[in-house]
Amino acid sequence: MGGSYLSDLCSMYQKDKFFTGFVPDELLTYACELFPLSEKETVTALLNCSMGNKAKSFVMFTSKGLYWKRFGEQEGCVTWEAFTDIQSIKSTDDYEIWFEGEEVFDVGFSSYPADLLAELLRMIQQFLSENGSDLLTEAWRDHVSVSASELKEISTLFQNSHDKMFGLTNGLLVGNEISEKREVRLRKRLHIPKDQEMISFWSTFPVKQTDGITLTDKGIYFSDPFLRLFYPWHVFKETPVMLKDQELIVGKENVIQLLENLMPAEDVFAFIEQVKRRISAVTS
């Protein structure tokens, strides 16, 4: 699986309501009606700044530039070529983003920190200044070639280590143990494409059928009641993951609760670390 430097940067800065890699159709409909895209233009990421599932207020990243719409106010856009010339990008405590001393848009209802978005925009601008817009959005193939069998082997190892000790399930399902009904729910909730093979699912909240950690042949998904994250393997190997008390801290301070998990939080963290070590080992 490949991507672009733009999609990789957006993936690294994922948080709730910031969709990268796949943007739900219900969010794209209004955005693309407002900003009809050119034939070869593709959407890389979209931050929904609205309270509901319809992106009446949003920030959209495409292969051609940056688009935004504030609720009840004028929309705007800038090409990546012109974005390079913006002299300053700042944020305020009121969820506002400013370009060159002028307020441009805000992220009020998204819960996405304005300072983090400003940081991402500055990272994109720095890359543009050093490499140009063509390289920013050029599709490329990564060098992570981990196999489905390797991921299954790791998953089975952590599953069996618990079974042999206690004779009980630890919430980790591998391969065909993921029922058809659960797989349908996972694919719908996490927007997992049909061409991705589901390897394993570790439930971190048994009452919920889709909260947990899902491995596919293309990457890893994290899901919590109000959070959905997807990291392609080549991005995940560079993504920090920490364990703090009963919480996994993933990427940019995303919190996955492990209080209801059937196994100690340390075991879940060890599983993630083992997967990361394997991903790093097969990277050329």
Side-chain angles (χ1 to χ4, degrees):
M1 182 178 181
S4 67
Y5 285 100
L6 177 61
S7 65
D8 288 355
L9 283 171
C10 289
S11 293
M12 292 174 184
Y13 279 77
Q14 281 182 89
K15 290 188 79 66
D16 183 41
K17 300 182 77 171
F18 186 26
F19 294 88
T20 67
F22 176 87
V23 181
D25 289 339
E26 59 267 27
L27 298 180
L28 277 179
T29 300
Y30 178 74
C32 291
E33 286 177 356
L34 193 61
F35 297 107
L37 304 182
S38 61
E39 184 177 344
K40 295 183 178 181
E41 189 172 6
T42 57
V43 176
T44 301
L46 187 144
L47 173 61
N48 181 12
C49 303
S50 306
M51 294 187 68
N53 292 325
K54 294 184 179 179
K56 297 293 186 180
S57 179
F58 62 87
V59 181
M60 182 168 65
F61 300 74
T62 80
S63 55
K64 298 296 184 182
L66 186 71
Y67 300 79
W68 60 87
K69 176 68 171 72
R70 298 181 64 177
F71 185 76
E73 297 190 30
Q74 188 66 31
E75 65 274 7
C77 63
V78 60
T79 64
W80 292 128
E81 290 81 0
F83 188 70
T84 311
D85 298 327
I86 295 176
Q87 296 300 308
S88 67
I89 301 172
K90 296 182 179 180
S91 62
T92 71
D93 293 336
D94 297 323
Y95 309 103
E96 298 168 348
I97 300 294
W98 291 57
F99 291 170
E100 298 182 335
E102 182 177 338
E103 182 184 349
V104 180
F105 54 83
D106 68 66
V107 293
F109 291 111
S110 69
S111 76
Y112 196 100
D115 58 344
L116 191 63
L117 181 58
E119 180 182 312
L120 169 59
L121 294 174
R122 288 192 293 267
M123 289 285 291
I124 293 173
Q125 189 180 59
Q126 180 181 345
F127 186 93
L128 284 166
S129 299
E130 296 173 355
N131 302 282
S133 59
D134 288 342
L135 191 57
L136 177 72
T137 58
E138 180 182 358
W140 61 283
R141 293 192 64 82
D142 66 87
H143 300 288
V144 175
S145 56
V146 65
S147 67
S149 60
E150 290 173 303
L151 295 170
K152 282 183 180 178
E153 184 178 338
I154 294 171
S155 299
T156 302
L157 175 65
F158 276 81
Q159 182 187 55
N160 288 344
S161 65
H162 181 70
D163 290 344
K164 290 176 181 178
M165 292 174 61
F166 302 102
L168 301 170
T169 178
N170 61 356
L172 177 55
L173 304 174
V174 182
N176 292 332
E177 294 172 352
I178 304 173
S179 68
E180 182 176 347
K181 183 177 181 180
R182 189 190 293 265
E183 179 175 346
V184 169
R185 288 182 176 179
L186 283 168
R187 288 189 182 277
K188 182 177 180 180
R189 161 85 189 283
L190 303 179
H191 308 295
I192 302 176
K194 292 182 179 179
D195 63 349
Q196 287 192 25
E197 179 184 352
M198 292 185 64
I199 307 299
S200 63
F201 170 71
W202 197 330
S203 173
T204 55
F205 192 14
V207 175
K208 300 285 186 179
Q209 292 289 305
T210 58
D211 285 354
I213 302 164
T214 305
L215 304 190
T216 77
D217 59 330
K218 303 300 184 185
I220 185 167
Y221 293 80
F222 294 90
S223 48
D224 220 38
F226 302 102
L227 183 66
R228 175 265 189 198
L229 305 169
F230 170 64
Y231 296 95
W233 289 127
H234 68 280
V235 174
F236 186 63
K237 72 183 182 70
E238 305 293 344
T239 301
V241 181
M242 298 181 294
L243 181 64
K244 183 177 181 181
D245 298 325
Q246 296 296 308
E247 298 175 340
L248 274 182
I249 313 298
V250 183
K252 298 296 182 179
E253 301 297 319
N254 295 296
V255 177
I256 306 297
Q257 296 285 349
L258 300 178
L259 287 170
E260 303 296 330
N261 190 58
L262 296 177
M263 282 289 284
E266 291 79 8
D267 287 7
V268 180
F269 182 65
F271 172 66
I272 297 298
E273 287 290 282
Q274 181 65 26
V275 170
K276 289 196 72 172
R277 281 194 292 270
R278 187 55 196 158
I279 296 302
S280 298
V282 299
T283 304
S284 59

